[in-house]
């Protein structure tokens, strides 16, 4: 292809390829065990695959309605009513999206005007800031300081101005595995009360909250729910990240704006997987089973590394475990994970990738959503370092 010769001014000058793609490619290149990008290396339940097959063969192959298949929207509304006591109107307040990434992008595109300020918490999931910047919004960073990564609510309050349009929250939190408490949600409610601030709540790890703690969805807090767009993803919950099916919930006024953008960003989402998921969501016991699976994997992972030179940070939720490696190396986190991948055959994510200034606390993230075999081979290598 001949070159594009006109001067090109980038809308995202600071952005390269996401660290998840970079590290997965490096893992593949070196045949390393891939504990970097967050996805299971095992299959969705066979019954769900059968339902997908049936849906595709059963005539569900044309455009779904713009907001999503009614059966799936009904199943989502029933789920959140049962789990969180939240009532969302199926016709106007539930929308099926092409992954949580699209739901987050769409919420931001629909609600953030040029010059609006959006508060996010660092370390921050990599899609939030570019999504805000593409709308001409200004990203304001609140720090979750290591090693506890707890929010400092007085500091957050000091960041709020008359231009603050949105606060993006994420509990359980990627990458740190921390979980916010009911007190955190009350502190957030105190800050936004009486303002026009919208809360965008990324709850994709809602079913991975360990040790008997409870997921503090904004949906449990009516005062917050009434100003929130909630996002969750079937990719995490059903071991099907490649399906890219997720959803957003919001009060009618917010969802009306969301849908105006949604219809031109994706219009509608893969129909047969919506039909299959709607049926599978009725199966009892899945969330308990999922929690037991990941809590078990977390425990195996931590147990094995507790005898190593890695220092384990707390893991209260998600399928990520962060560690410090100061006793092993004084390299920067990027250099360390690259060498870990190349020389020791285990890939991880440098947590500096979750900071706009690549701040390096010497912390890396492992994903333990992997088969028993992958985990035991990886742990065998890691404990020797
Ligand atoms: N938010 C967070 C915090 C995530 O970790 C991820 C995916 N790992 C997403 C959003 C995106 O989810 P999806 O794959 O459904 O787009
Ligand atoms: N969210 C996943 C992670 O944190 C990866 C998703 C992606 O690759 N965009 O690893």
């Amino acid at each position: 292809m001949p070159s594009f010769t006109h001067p090109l001014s980038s809308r995202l000058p600071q952005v390269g390829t996401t660290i998840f793609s970079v590290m997965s490619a490096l893992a593949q290149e070196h045949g390393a065990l891939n504990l970097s990008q967050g996805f299971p290396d095992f299959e969705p339940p066979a019954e769900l695959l059968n339902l997908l097959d049936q849906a595709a063969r059963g005539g569900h192959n044309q455009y779904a309605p713009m907001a999503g298949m009614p059966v799936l929207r009904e199943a989502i509304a029933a789920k959140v009513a049962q789990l969180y006591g939240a009532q969302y109107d199926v016709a106007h307040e539930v929308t099926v999206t092409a992954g949580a990434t699209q739901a987050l992008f769409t919420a931001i595109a629909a609600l953030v005007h040029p010059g609006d300020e959006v508060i996010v918490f660092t370390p921050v999931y990599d899609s939030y800031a570019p999504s805000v910047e593409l709308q001409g919004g200004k990203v304001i960073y609140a720090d979750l300081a290591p090693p506890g990564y707890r929010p400092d609510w007085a500091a957050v309050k000091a960041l709020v101005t008359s231009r603050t349009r949105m606060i993006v929250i994420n509990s359980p939190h990627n990458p740190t595995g921390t979980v916010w408490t009911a007190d955190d949600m009350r502190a957030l409610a105190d800050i936004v009360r009486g303002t026009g601030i919208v809360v965008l709540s990324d709850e994709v790890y809602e079913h991975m909250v360990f040790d008997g703690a409870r997921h503090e969805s904004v949906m449990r807090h009516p005062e917050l729910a009434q100003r929130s767009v909630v996002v969750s993803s079937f990719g995490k919950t059903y071991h099907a990240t490649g399906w890219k099916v997720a959803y957003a919930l919001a009060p009618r006024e917010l969802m009306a704006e969301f849908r105006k953008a949604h219809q031109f960003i994706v219009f509608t989402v893969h129909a047969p997987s919506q039909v299959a998921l709607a049926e599978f969501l009725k199966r009892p016991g899945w969330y308990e089973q999922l929690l037991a699976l990941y809590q078990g994997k977390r425990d195996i992972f931590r147990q094995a590394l507790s005898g190593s030179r890695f220092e384990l940070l707390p893991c209260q939720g998600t399928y990520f475990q962060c560690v410090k490696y100061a006793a092993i190396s004084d390299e920067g986190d990027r250099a360390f994970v690259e060498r870990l991948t190349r020389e020791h055959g285990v890939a991880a994510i440098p947590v500096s990738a979750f900071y706009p200034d690549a701040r390096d606390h010497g912390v890396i993230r492992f994903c333990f959503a992997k088969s028993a075999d992958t985990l035991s081979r990886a742990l065998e290598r890691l404990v020797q370092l």
Side-chain angles (χ1 to χ4, degrees):
M1 182 65 56
S3 322
F4 181 77
T5 49
H6 284 263
L8 190 58
S9 117
S10 175
R11 298 286 314 279
L12 295 172
Q14 315 301 336
V15 170
T17 304
T18 87
I19 190 66
F20 310 118
S21 305
V22 169
M23 288 314 302
S24 277
L26 196 69
Q28 201 162 12
E29 187 189 330
H30 294 280
L33 298 164
N34 189 2
L35 271 49
S36 65
Q37 192 176 19
F39 65 91
D41 71 347
F42 40 88
E43 290 299 301
E47 193 190 349
L48 180 56
L49 300 180
N50 289 338
L51 288 167
L52 178 63
D53 184 62
Q54 278 167 31
R57 291 177 195 286
H60 295 289
N61 298 299
Q62 308 310 326
Y63 292 130
M66 186 268 277
M69 292 298 244
V71 279
L72 183 55
R73 282 187 278 141
E74 278 159 23
I76 293 164
K79 165 188 163 169
V80 298
Q82 194 192 352
L83 291 180
Y84 308 120
Q87 305 299 326
Y88 285 89
D89 176 59
V90 172
H92 301 107
E93 300 183 327
V94 184
T95 301
V96 179
T97 62
T101 311
Q102 185 242 311
L104 294 161
F105 184 87
T106 302
I108 291 166
L111 298 167
V112 174
H113 295 252
D116 282 353
E117 294 177 359
V118 176
I119 296 176
V120 305
F121 292 82
T122 48
V124 62
Y125 186 62
D126 71 342
S127 83
Y128 304 168
S131 302
V132 172
E133 282 158 2
L134 280 174
Q135 305 312 320
K138 185 170 178 211
V139 185
I140 306 293
Y141 295 94
D143 196 29
L144 301 169
Y149 296 107
R150 305 298 318 163
D152 173 347
W153 290 112
V156 176
K157 189 171 180 182
L159 294 175
V160 172
T161 73
S162 59
R163 304 236 53 158
T164 308
R165 177 70 179 136
M166 180 182 275
I167 300 181
V168 188
I169 66 172
N170 170 221
S171 174
H173 185 251
N174 180 6
T176 65
T178 51
V179 166
W180 283 9
T181 62
D183 280 345
D184 288 319
M185 305 315 277
R186 279 190 282 272
L188 176 63
D190 287 345
I191 288 173
V192 295
R193 191 171 299 126
T195 73
I197 296 171
V198 173
V199 174
L200 177 55
S201 185
D202 179 347
E203 303 187 10
V204 300
Y205 301 103
E206 63 181 316
H207 302 295
M208 300 168 207
V209 175
F210 306 133
D211 306 320
R214 165 178 117 148
H215 170 54
E216 288 301 329
S217 173
V218 292
M219 291 182 274
R220 291 189 193 277
H221 301 267
E223 196 189 346
L224 285 173
Q226 135 193 31
R227 60 168 73 241
S228 294
V229 179
V230 183
V231 172
S232 190
S233 174
F234 296 116
K236 319 285 168 191
T237 304
Y238 298 104
H239 316 320
T241 59
W243 289 20
K244 295 299 290 185
V245 184
Y247 58 89
L249 301 159
R252 186 170 178 153
E253 300 71 20
L254 292 176
M255 188 52 85
E257 292 305 312
F258 181 100
R259 287 184 181 173
K260 286 183 194 172
H262 174 78
Q263 65 188 337
F264 299 123
I265 292 174
V266 66
F267 177 50
T268 179
V269 175
H270 190 256
S273 37
Q274 294 190 55
V275 174
L277 284 162
E279 187 55 34
F280 198 77
L281 252 71
K282 296 180 191 152
R283 303 291 184 277
W286 178 261
Y287 305 128
E288 293 78 4
Q289 209 180 307
L290 183 83
L291 178 61
L293 174 82
Y294 282 126
Q295 187 163 309
K297 288 185 184 298
R298 178 204 63 165
D299 291 346
I300 288 168
F301 202 74
R302 289 180 69 87
Q303 175 65 32
L305 283 193
S306 66
S308 77
R309 291 203 289 165
F310 286 104
E311 181 192 334
L312 291 159
L313 298 182
C315 173
Q316 302 153 343
T318 74
Y319 48 44
F320 301 116
Q321 172 67 57
C322 285
V323 299
K324 296 191 81 133
Y325 57 86
I328 299 170
S329 165
D330 56 11
E331 287 160 291
D333 65 356
R334 239 173 216 263
F336 182 68
V337 291
E338 284 171 14
R339 195 166 62 78
L340 194 62
T341 309
R342 273 197 312 271
E343 294 179 12
H344 301 283
V346 182
I349 297 287
V351 169
S352 64
F354 293 77
Y355 288 91
D357 55 0
R359 205 175 312 157
D360 187 348
H361 293 115
V363 177
I364 62 172
R365 187 198 82 178
F366 291 113
C367 172
F368 55 76
K370 306 295 167 185
S371 69
D373 179 57
T374 307
L375 289 179
S376 78
R377 285 161 61 213
L379 287 164
E380 220 169 86
R381 297 173 190 183
L382 295 174
V383 296
Q384 283 171 20
L385 293 172

